[in-house]
Amino acid sequence: MMGERQAVAAFAALGQEHRMRIVRQLVTAGPDGMAAGMLAEAVGVSGTNLSFHVKELTHAGLVTSRREGRSIIYSAAYPDLSELIQFLMRDCCQGRPEVCAPAVAALSACCKETSRWTS
């Protein structure tokens, strides 16, 4: 379970425009991730800037990387991103489920749309 310190580090890493774009692009890319060059192009940064931003996101536990041949493939760290969402929503409704209903509905719709990853 994510604690406050980890959540603060994650939000600090996401509190920069390019980093937010990187994470959103990787979430959209799915579990297979994206090659560094394609990711840099998609978010509009140079390779050097991408490395800088990904380092911060990796330290925050939001992005992972792996080598495939000569390429570095970056992926969203879905378990940690899920924990971040859970951290925010953990005490959400305080016995009033209608407070959380919009967020739950949005996540449910999102998950139906991303079922293409499991095909």
Side-chain angles (χ1 to χ4, degrees), residues 88-112:
L88 282 176
M89 302 300 292
R90 188 174 303 137
D91 301 317
C92 169
C93 61
Q94 298 292 311
R96 296 182 53 212
E98 71 276 5
V99 173
C100 294
V104 171
L107 287 171
S108 294
C110 170
C111 292
K112 289 175 187 170

Side-chain angles (χ1 to χ4, degrees), residues 22-23 26 39 54 57-65 74-77 81:
I22 290 166
V23 170
L26 291 174
L39 180 58
V54 167
L57 292 166
T58 300
H59 273 108
L62 302 175
V63 170
T64 62
S65 64
Y74 294 112
S75 299
L81 288 167

Side-chain angles (χ1 to χ4, degrees), residues 30-119:
D32 292 337
M34 291 181 77
M38 290 178 60
L39 180 58
E41 185 177 324
V43 298
V45 298
S46 68
T48 303
N49 280 336
L50 179 74
S51 294
F52 170 77
H53 291 303
V54 167
K55 180 185 74 158
E56 295 298 317
L57 292 166
T58 300
H59 273 108
L62 302 175
V63 170
T64 62
S65 64
R66 67 184 185 281
R67 184 167 286 282
E68 284 187 7
R70 293 171 43 176
S71 298
I72 297 175
I73 308 297
Y74 294 112
S75 299
Y78 290 99
D80 289 30
L81 288 167
S82 293
E83 283 191 30
L84 184 60
I85 293 167
Q86 288 175 41
F87 175 83
L88 282 176
M89 302 300 292
R90 188 174 303 137
D91 301 317
C92 169
C93 61
Q94 298 292 311
R96 296 182 53 212
E98 71 276 5
V99 173
C100 294
V104 171
L107 287 171
S108 294
C110 170
C111 292
K112 289 175 187 170
E113 292 172 15
T114 58
S115 64
R116 63 180 154 68
W117 295 336
T118 58
S119 302

